[in-house]
Amino acid sequence: MADPYHVNNTVSYFLQEGQFLNSDNNYLLRDKNRKHSLVIKNDGNLVIYKNDPTGAPTIAILWQSGVTGGKAEYHFYVTEEGDLKVEQTISKKIIWQTNNRLNKNQGKFFIQLSITGQLLICNKNRWVVWASQSVHPSNQIINGAFSLIPNILLQNQILKSDVNDGILFDKTNNYFLKMQSDGNVVIYQKDGSKNNVVWSSHTNVGPSRGPFHLKMQNDGNLCAYDNKNAYLWGTGTSGKGYKGQYWAEVKSNGQLLVHDANRDIICFFKQ
């Protein structure tokens, strides 16, 4: 990859592969409605702020990388493999990264700050391949043209039982994963007007402990929790495979897969 070059304007809505934003010049990445700002601090921390009515960042932090490298000049950029990196400018030391190792034919990648304050990495087809944190499916339109990958639960994304029925469809809409309002995680096959159970976690604890959520964790474990974050079920894949960007997928044959950062399957569930 060629050396990153600096974005010329002080306020941008997206950052393309090969561009970078610098901590030394108060450069911002904002969403199109100017309600959120992404800032690289002079300690290397990457922070998303909620803006005040004038469009300036406030003290309200929505998300942060949480990694600092001491006071210095830093910049961040997205690589040709879809990896977002924070680098100390002089030493070239990487202090934080998303550890995405995506196929280069998905590029060119770019960074987008969504209208809900989510930091997103998108591929050339405008699919989101990484998100700072998101409830999925959100049916969120980002600048009118972007959407989340329909059958994928990215690292740190959450499937909630009380949002859109807690459903994640496969690409053909013949199968779907559901985080149910009773605490059960179920894969269904659509059959006309009825749905047939393909697989279940058998964690029906009743609606009194809801709403429930299913989270693709950054340790590689896909887990279900109740409304008090009590553990119900998990894939048991913590730390397995190549560490980095883990993700879960509902396949068109009804299988539920968990992938590591090298795109290898580390777990699957089927009938």
Side-chain angles (χ1 to χ4, degrees):
M1 186 186 78
D3 289 337
Y5 62 90
H6 204 287
V7 175
N8 293 323
N9 56 320
T10 57
V11 178
S12 302
Y13 301 111
F14 60 91
L15 195 69
Q16 297 177 344
E17 182 183 312
Q19 296 178 319
F20 72 88
L21 285 183
N22 190 296
S23 63
D24 234 24
N25 297 297
N26 296 319
Y27 283 82
L28 304 175
L29 190 70
R30 286 181 176 154
D31 72 286
K32 69 166 187 173
N33 293 336
R34 298 172 63 88
K35 292 185 177 180
H36 309 91
S37 295
L38 175 67
V39 179
I40 177 73
K41 307 289 286 184
N42 62 8
D43 60 2
N45 198 13
L46 201 57
V47 185
I48 298 174
Y49 291 97
K50 186 176 180 180
N51 293 346
D52 66 20
T54 69
T58 66
I59 60 173
I61 295 176
L62 300 180
W63 174 87
Q64 58 184 319
S65 62
V67 177
T68 60
K71 191 172 182 179
E73 182 182 329
Y74 298 88
H75 59 270
F76 69 92
Y77 58 94
V78 63
T79 71
E80 60 187 0
E81 292 184 325
D83 193 12
L84 176 60
K85 295 186 176 184
V86 175
E87 182 178 287
Q88 195 174 88
T89 302
I90 296 176
S91 69
K92 303 293 186 182
K93 180 182 179 181
I94 304 297
I95 68 164
W96 181 83
Q97 60 185 353
T98 56
N99 285 316
N100 298 339
R101 295 182 65 206
L102 304 173
N103 196 316
K104 293 180 182 179
N105 65 19
Q106 292 191 47
K108 293 186 172 181
F109 296 94
F110 62 93
I111 303 167
Q112 173 87 30
L113 193 60
S114 80
I115 58 177
T116 57
Q118 301 293 330
L119 176 59
L120 310 173
I121 301 175
C122 306
N123 66 14
K124 65 181 179 181
N125 295 320
R126 297 182 171 184
W127 289 115
V128 176
V129 297
W130 180 89
S132 55
Q133 186 175 6
S134 183
V135 174
H136 191 301
S138 67
N139 297 320
Q140 168 182 287
I141 302 298
I142 309 161
N143 283 8
F146 303 90
S147 59
L148 296 171
I149 300 174
N151 66 318
I152 298 293
L153 200 65
L154 296 170
Q155 184 170 299
N156 289 325
Q157 286 187 330
I158 299 169
L159 196 64
K160 298 182 72 175
S161 63
D162 59 343
V163 177
N164 294 338
D165 293 326
I167 289 177
L168 185 69
F169 281 100
D170 79 299
K171 289 182 177 180
T172 65
N173 284 340
N174 289 322
Y175 293 90
F176 61 91
L177 174 69
K178 183 170 184 176
M179 180 69 254
Q180 297 192 160
S181 59
D182 60 4
N184 212 359
V185 183
V186 185
I187 299 173
Y188 288 99
Q189 181 181 20
K190 295 172 68 176
D191 183 13
S193 60
K194 65 178 182 178
N195 300 317
N196 299 320
V197 175
V198 174
W199 172 88
S200 170
S201 63
H202 300 290
T203 50
N204 184 343
V205 296
S208 63
R209 290 176 59 180
F212 302 89
H213 66 274
L214 183 69
K215 183 175 183 178
M216 184 65 250
Q217 300 181 165
N218 57 17
D219 63 358
N221 215 356
L222 179 66
C223 295
Y225 297 92
D226 68 7
N227 59 9
K228 294 183 178 179
N229 285 323
Y231 173 87
L232 295 176
W233 172 84
T235 55
T237 48
S238 177
K240 290 188 177 181
Y242 191 93
K243 293 180 177 60
Q245 175 69 12
Y246 294 98
W247 44 288
E249 176 184 17
V250 182
K251 296 291 289 183
S252 299
N253 60 3
Q255 290 186 350
L256 172 61
L257 310 178
V258 177
H259 299 265
D260 66 8
N262 205 33
R263 305 179 69 85
D264 293 326
I265 298 170
I266 57 174
C267 186
F268 70 92
F269 297 88
K270 65 178 182 178
Q271 189 174 20

